[in-house]
Amino acid sequence: MIASESDPAGADRRVQPAAGILEVRDLHKDFGGVHALAGASFYVEQGTITGLIGPNGAGKSTLINLVSGFTPPGSGQVVYDGEDITGHSAHQIARLGLVRTFQLSSEFARLTVIENLLTAVPDQRGSTVLAALRGKRYWRRAEEESVARAREFLGRFGLTDVEDLYGAELSGGQKRLLEISRALMGRPRVLLLDEPFAGVNPTLAREVEDILRALRDEGMTIVLVEHEMGAIDRLCDTVVVMAAGTVLAEGSMAEIRENQEVVDAYLAG
Amino acid sequence: MTTAWQFYFITLLTYSGVNIIAAWALNLQYGLGGILNFAFIIFQAVGAYAAAVLTLGPAGGITTFQTYVGGAHLPWLLALVVATLAGGVLALLVGLVALRPKRTDYQGMVLLTVAIIAAVVVTDEKGWLNGASGLVGVPKPFNESLGLGLIEYGWFYVGVVAVAVVLVFIVIHLLTSSPWCRQVRAMREDPVAAEALGLNVPARRLQVFVIGGAIAAFSGALLVGYIGSWSPGAWGPGETFLLFVCIVVGGLGNNFGAAVGSVLVLTVLFNGLAYLPIFSYTTAAEALQLVLLGLIVIAFLWFKPRGLFPERRRRFAFPSAGPDRGTAVAVEEAR
Amino acid sequence: MELNLALGFGLVTASILALGAVGFTLQFGITNIFNLSFGQVMTVGMFAAYLINVQGGQSLWVGVLGGALAGAVVSGFLNKTVFMPFLRRGVSLDGIIIVSLAVGLVLENVMLAFAGPSFKAYNQPRTHSIHVLGMILTVQQLLIIGISVAALVGLHLLLRQTRLGKAMRATAANAGLARTSGIATDRVTMIAWCLSGALCGAAGVTFALNLATFDTTTGSSLLLVVIAAAVFGGVGQPYGAMLGALVIGLATEFAALVSPNLKEVIAFAILVVMLLVRPDGLIPSAATKETMGAR
């Protein structure tokens, strides 16, 4: 499953064999003297759902920003699929298949729903200047295929009816769905979801949970930051508890509940 | 029609064509790309200067009264191409610096400052492009070989500009109807989210900036071929604002709107009055015209922020199952 | 000798810039918009002082006060009738810049239509020069420095010692939080615009006074230098703006020793470099640091 383990020689960019598809090693990050991350380490197995929990200010958002390339790291390493991606730019990381969503909805307001999805197709034909100048004939076929694929996702997320609405015209819940389906259009291998259930009504949230579970069963790896413990409990194979910029505990939800330290620091509070 | 009136319409039509091209370029940069290019006019200026010096011939000789660098006797079409490239190169250099801040309003401030520095430097350095007096006596394209009278030549040049407008429209249309432009618009809406989806936002911004800069320069080269002179007075930061007014009025992100806006604002409201053969212009009249212009912008941004012709909502026709798959792609709906 | 002269002129320029830059930054700190009509509001101040001084026959120093008052009224009026409504509508910061340019265009050309394109000058009493520490300054120039210092000390006391000042600082740091803690942010914003306008008007009059003549475009020609000073110290930070004014004031006057043409260019170069390298200025505030990272 993990190439690096069966490949002792290693390619140039290989670092120490990674324990999972995504591994975070001793990450540090300071913001003007505040230690947002102070040595966070954990790993994520392929094909699992990992929940990242912890009180506000524990460093979850900083961690996501750092892993996805939006914040330059202080020190430490991010290893994705056996490759050290620390310090890569955000779009490079996304292209490698590590795609994130945002806490605040970030739909493209003046693009239609289906255009939102089409934007995410990697190397869409006609998305370079020269290809655009070759005209519709050159990219029409590929565009049709992407439209068809986008419609599959829209169907899956119940957005078919709003295909032609602008992003700004959707409800809060629909925007979250749009964002997840848009991320999926990029054919990610790892999906980083920053509070995907915020502002989503419970019924819809359950549907999203089902979709996420189905995606995992298809082999997708999902990491999510979430405050709603019920969802974490139902969804996650592994839970990583963060506090004060470090990882306090790691394990299944049942194990976490047993952990007195965690209960004291977080769950009980 | 009297000669004066013919001349009036020739001037008006030439300016309109040039302005439509410029408005399309700015619309690409700001309307679609979200780049607040307050330096737009310097790209038109560089095209005009390049076309001027490349056709004026080497400095000295009969043109000793003006000094400039890079003089040559290039055929006009070649000069036009080089001028266009010069705009692209300048945009690349400026863009590499000015587009670095993350906030687009900061980018706009840098660009505004660059525009003012450029005007100060070109005005002060008399040796480069003849300073504040500017360049005069720029040869009229094809004039010698055609041997037409003044008015006939004027109508000929209107034709040249019309061809140029069509050419630029084809390029702009190909670009703005493509998947590339969809990504450009996404970047305008939310650059951070676009980056998270794997789009190289800085690179794409630069592409938009360079293409817009080249087209702006192209428009400048066309303009100087008609008026025959070019000086810092023609390209103050205020001129950039006029083009912003055009695209705000016409509709940000809509090429048709940009063209209509430039005709309404610049041809009808501005040049239409300024070049009327029967109208004597006073400072107060000009000032009130600008007051009106400012009020129009504010009124539009308040009452009709999307302009007369808002950006079109692109719909995708349902793919047909049959062998003819030709109808499936974006059908634009005019709203 | 020349250096001392330049130092003197530099201090005068810095005093004028400080008024403008602090005014600009005060308003920017609270609203976060690049108000490019600020230059024309400076010109309004110049003309108000002209009316009082030349047409009304009053002392020039009454004119300075009048200019400040006019700046405050116009600035407050623009906030109330234009900027606040647009902000309430959620117009983007880019859109607001275009609005501010349009407002500036209207102001400038209304003045042009009434006052014409000719240069104006104040009635200044002829005074002798005074030698201070090797610098040669006129009485007017010393008074400009005095006005500036007095205004800034007053502002400092206002910001640090009064409830209003505290409310203003809170609103600048985080308007949402300030509102929820019971601060009437709309009123605070309005007061900030008026104060900003007063400083702006005073900057305009003192600038015109130092320049000897002015016309309807004088304020807008000063605008970018003022913004350069404001950005240098970190936009939104009054004390940074004072520092920026000092640095830019001295830098421009010393650059003028080399070549008069360099004067503006050096200020613009500083502005560009600051926007590129340290968009938060030399002294970034805690608030800007938080917003620097991705969401």
Side-chain angles (χ1 to χ4, degrees):
Chain A
M1 189 170 75
I2 297 157
S4 57
E5 284 177 354
S6 56
D7 180 16
D12 287 345
R13 296 206 50 103
R14 302 262 156 191
V15 285
Q16 294 170 39
I21 187 161
L22 180 66
E23 188 183 355
V24 164
R25 289 180 185 157
D26 198 29
L27 279 184
H28 285 79
K29 180 71 189 177
D30 288 2
F31 289 112
V34 180
H35 303 296
L37 284 179
S41 306
F42 67 91
Y43 72 89
V44 176
E45 291 279 8
Q46 179 155 13
T48 63
I49 300 181
T50 302
L52 210 53
I53 63 171
N56 282 331
K60 307 181 299 284
S61 286
T62 307
L63 188 85
I64 294 261
N65 283 339
L66 223 139
V67 169
S68 57
F70 279 93
T71 305
S75 67
Q77 272 184 324
V78 180
V79 181
Y80 165 70
D81 195 20
E83 191 178 328
D84 184 358
I85 58 164
T86 326
H88 280 31
S89 66
H91 69 266
Q92 285 171 326
I93 291 174
R95 277 303 166 88
L96 289 172
L98 185 69
V99 176
R100 68 166 294 178
T101 64
F102 294 91
Q103 222 177 83
L104 301 169
S105 43
S106 60
E107 78 288 347
F108 301 127
R110 294 270 295 161
L111 266 64
T112 65
V113 167
I114 192 163
E115 280 187 306
N116 263 272
L117 265 65
L118 292 173
T119 304
V121 179
D123 301 315
Q124 173 74 33
R125 211 173 171 147
S127 64
T128 65
V129 173
L130 289 179
L133 289 175
R134 292 176 69 166
K136 234 173 230 183
R137 234 178 235 169
Y138 179 69
W139 46 260
R140 169 181 285 171
R141 184 63 56 90
E143 178 94 335
E144 280 170 18
E145 284 161 11
S146 294
V147 167
R149 203 161 78 82
R151 284 187 173 141
E152 279 173 33
F153 279 115
L154 292 181
R156 195 165 178 177
F157 283 85
L159 295 170
T160 302
D161 293 344
V162 294
E163 175 184 306
D164 290 331
L165 290 191
Y166 279 130
E169 295 165 346
L170 298 185
S171 70
Q174 286 173 323
K175 284 178 183 173
R176 308 304 301 184
L177 297 180
L178 170 62
E179 218 184 325
I180 297 172
S181 52
R182 188 178 67 185
L184 291 170
M185 280 299 280
R187 302 183 191 277
R189 297 178 60 202
V190 176
L191 203 52
L192 295 173
L193 304 175
D194 199 352
E195 300 195 20
F197 302 116
V200 180
N201 74 57
T203 324
L204 195 58
R206 288 302 177 98
E207 285 170 27
V208 176
E209 283 175 30
D210 290 339
I211 295 173
L212 294 181
R213 230 173 268 122
L215 286 168
R216 174 197 57 194
D217 296 342
E218 291 163 19
M220 174 103 55
T221 309
I222 297 169
V223 178
L224 55 95
V225 172
E226 189 51 61
H227 286 294
E228 217 274 285
M229 294 309 288
I232 292 281
D233 201 5
R234 286 188 297 273
L235 269 178
C236 296
D237 304 298
T238 313
V239 176
V240 173
V241 186
M242 292 190 67
T246 58
V247 173
L248 202 59
E250 196 175 351
S252 70
M253 197 64 206
E255 288 164 6
I256 296 293
R257 281 220 185 76
E258 299 293 304
N259 188 323
Q260 195 55 47
E261 209 183 340
V262 176
V263 174
D264 290 346
Y266 181 51
L267 293 180
Chain B
M1 222 167 12
T2 65
T3 309
W5 278 102
Q6 288 207 42
F7 191 69
Y8 172 67
F9 283 113
I10 288 166
T11 307
L12 215 54
L13 287 171
T14 306
Y15 269 91
S16 301
V18 168
N19 290 333
I20 287 172
I21 294 174
W24 279 335
L26 185 63
N27 183 45
L28 178 68
Q29 291 182 331
Y30 180 62
L32 295 161
I35 302 168
L36 210 49
N37 187 5
F38 286 144
F40 184 84
I41 206 69
I42 72 169
F43 301 101
Q44 189 174 56
V46 80
Y49 278 125
V53 296
L54 291 175
T55 53
L56 265 171
I62 52 160
T63 58
T64 42
F65 60 91
Q66 51 188 359
T67 51
Y68 50 88
V69 291
H73 272 303
L74 293 190
W76 183 70
L77 281 175
L78 187 56
L80 184 66
V81 170
V82 176
T84 307
L85 292 177
V89 170
L90 182 70
L92 180 69
L93 297 177
V94 170
L96 279 173
V97 176
L99 300 181
R100 282 189 50 181
K102 282 203 171 114
R103 281 178 59 163
T104 50
D105 53 346
Y106 281 36
Q107 294 174 2
M109 288 308 301
V110 175
L111 287 164
L112 179 62
T113 315
V114 166
I116 292 175
I117 292 178
V120 169
V121 170
V122 171
T123 307
D124 287 346
E125 295 294 327
K126 203 171 163 15
W128 294 0
L129 297 160
N130 208 37
S133 335
L135 302 172
V136 295
V138 181
K140 290 179 182 295
F142 309 116
N143 194 23
E144 282 177 20
S145 48
L146 286 169
L148 295 173
L150 190 65
I151 293 297
E152 288 76 17
Y153 178 81
W155 287 112
F156 162 76
Y157 204 76
V158 168
V160 170
V161 171
V163 172
V165 169
V166 171
L167 283 178
V168 173
F169 175 76
I170 291 171
V171 170
I172 286 282
H173 179 73
L174 286 174
L175 287 175
T176 53
S177 56
S178 72
W180 174 78
C181 189
R182 183 165 60 222
Q183 297 184 347
V184 167
R185 284 161 56 230
M187 164 188 100
R188 169 195 70 189
E189 295 297 321
D190 191 334
V192 176
E195 188 88 24
L197 293 174
L199 303 184
N200 187 346
V201 170
R204 213 160 280 261
R205 273 215 180 104
L206 202 55
Q207 289 172 359
V208 171
F209 199 66
V210 168
I211 294 170
I215 296 175
F218 180 79
S219 75
L222 274 182
L223 186 57
V224 81
Y226 178 71
I227 53 180
S229 61
W230 194 252
S231 68
W235 51 283
E239 305 293 323
T240 301
F241 185 70
L242 287 180
L243 285 163
F244 269 94
V245 178
C246 295
I247 61 173
V248 164
V249 167
L252 294 171
N254 184 317
N255 292 325
F256 179 68
V260 172
S262 84
V263 169
L264 284 180
V265 173
L266 291 173
T267 308
V268 176
L269 194 72
F270 224 69
N271 299 339
L273 298 176
Y275 297 112
L276 260 186
I278 51 171
F279 195 82
S280 90
Y281 234 56
T282 64
T283 307
E286 200 174 347
L288 290 175
Q289 197 179 15
L290 288 167
V291 170
L292 181 65
L293 206 72
L295 293 176
I296 286 175
V297 176
I298 297 170
F300 260 88
L301 286 172
W302 183 256
F303 294 107
K304 228 169 162 23
R306 306 264 175 241
L308 293 173
F309 300 91
E311 186 171 302
R312 285 172 179 164
R313 191 188 297 253
R314 289 152 173 88
R315 289 173 197 273
F316 294 82
F318 205 77
S320 51
D324 175 29
R325 291 166 53 95
T327 55
V329 173
V331 176
E332 288 186 354
E333 176 216 359
R335 302 184 81 231
Chain C
M1 182 59 206
E2 269 197 338
L3 285 180
N4 279 339
L5 270 181
L7 181 66
F9 291 147
L11 287 179
V12 177
T13 307
S15 304
I16 297 165
L17 286 180
L19 288 170
V22 171
F24 184 86
T25 225
L26 206 60
Q27 176 265 117
F28 184 95
I30 285 184
T31 58
N32 212 12
I33 59 181
F34 268 107
N35 172 18
L36 298 185
S37 64
F38 196 82
Q40 282 82 9
V41 177
M42 288 195 268
T43 314
V44 169
M46 293 174 203
F47 275 99
Y50 180 80
L51 288 179
I52 292 168
N53 168 241
V54 179
Q55 317 256 326
Q58 300 295 313
S59 130
L60 195 50
W61 310 110
V62 179
V64 175
L65 272 181
L69 189 66
V73 169
V74 170
S75 184
F77 174 77
L78 290 176
N79 174 48
K80 186 94 187 154
T81 56
V82 183
F83 291 108
M84 187 89 94
F86 270 106
L87 278 181
R88 281 231 182 84
R89 263 213 187 167
V91 171
S92 69
L93 292 179
D94 296 351
I96 283 277
I97 292 194
I98 297 179
V99 171
S100 79
L101 278 171
V103 167
L105 189 73
V106 172
L107 282 179
E108 184 163 322
N109 286 287
V110 166
M111 289 187 281
L112 181 62
F114 282 103
S118 63
F119 279 92
K120 313 277 184 291
Y122 297 127
N123 286 332
Q124 304 194 36
R126 280 214 160 275
T127 52
H128 48 282
S129 307
I130 294 172
H131 293 248
V132 201
L133 306 167
M135 302 178 284
I136 305 173
L137 297 170
T138 63
V139 175
Q140 274 92 336
Q141 286 177 322
L142 281 174
L143 278 167
I144 288 173
I145 297 178
I147 288 171
S148 177
V149 170
L152 297 178
V153 168
L155 185 78
H156 165 79
L157 293 176
L158 176 82
L159 284 178
R160 292 286 151 186
Q161 309 287 333
T162 65
R163 282 178 62 88
L164 174 64
K166 208 174 159 193
M168 284 174 77
R169 285 185 291 137
T171 309
N174 188 334
L177 196 63
R179 202 172 305 119
T180 48
S181 17
I183 294 173
T185 50
D186 278 1
R187 221 183 100 239
V188 169
T189 306
M190 185 64 190
I191 294 171
W193 275 84
C194 291
L195 266 178
S196 154
L199 290 167
C200 171
V205 183
T206 50
F207 182 66
L209 184 56
N210 196 40
L211 209 61
T213 60
F214 67 96
D215 68 359
T216 51
T217 63
T218 307
S220 40
S221 71
L222 180 64
L223 175 68
L224 278 189
V225 185
V226 165
I227 294 183
V231 167
F232 186 87
V235 241
Q237 303 201 69
Y239 301 104
M242 294 179 202
L243 175 70
L246 190 62
V247 171
I248 302 239
L250 292 175
T252 51
E253 294 303 335
F254 282 117
L257 288 181
V258 184
S259 154
N261 297 339
L262 268 180
K263 207 169 159 173
E264 280 177 314
V265 173
I266 195 117
F268 297 157
I270 291 175
L271 174 57
V272 168
V273 169
M274 288 309 296
L275 283 170
L276 293 175
V277 184
R278 297 291 301 262
D280 298 323
L282 277 189
I283 328 163
S285 68
T288 49
K289 229 178 284 161
E290 270 171 36
T291 54
M292 270 309 281
R295 292 163 300 178

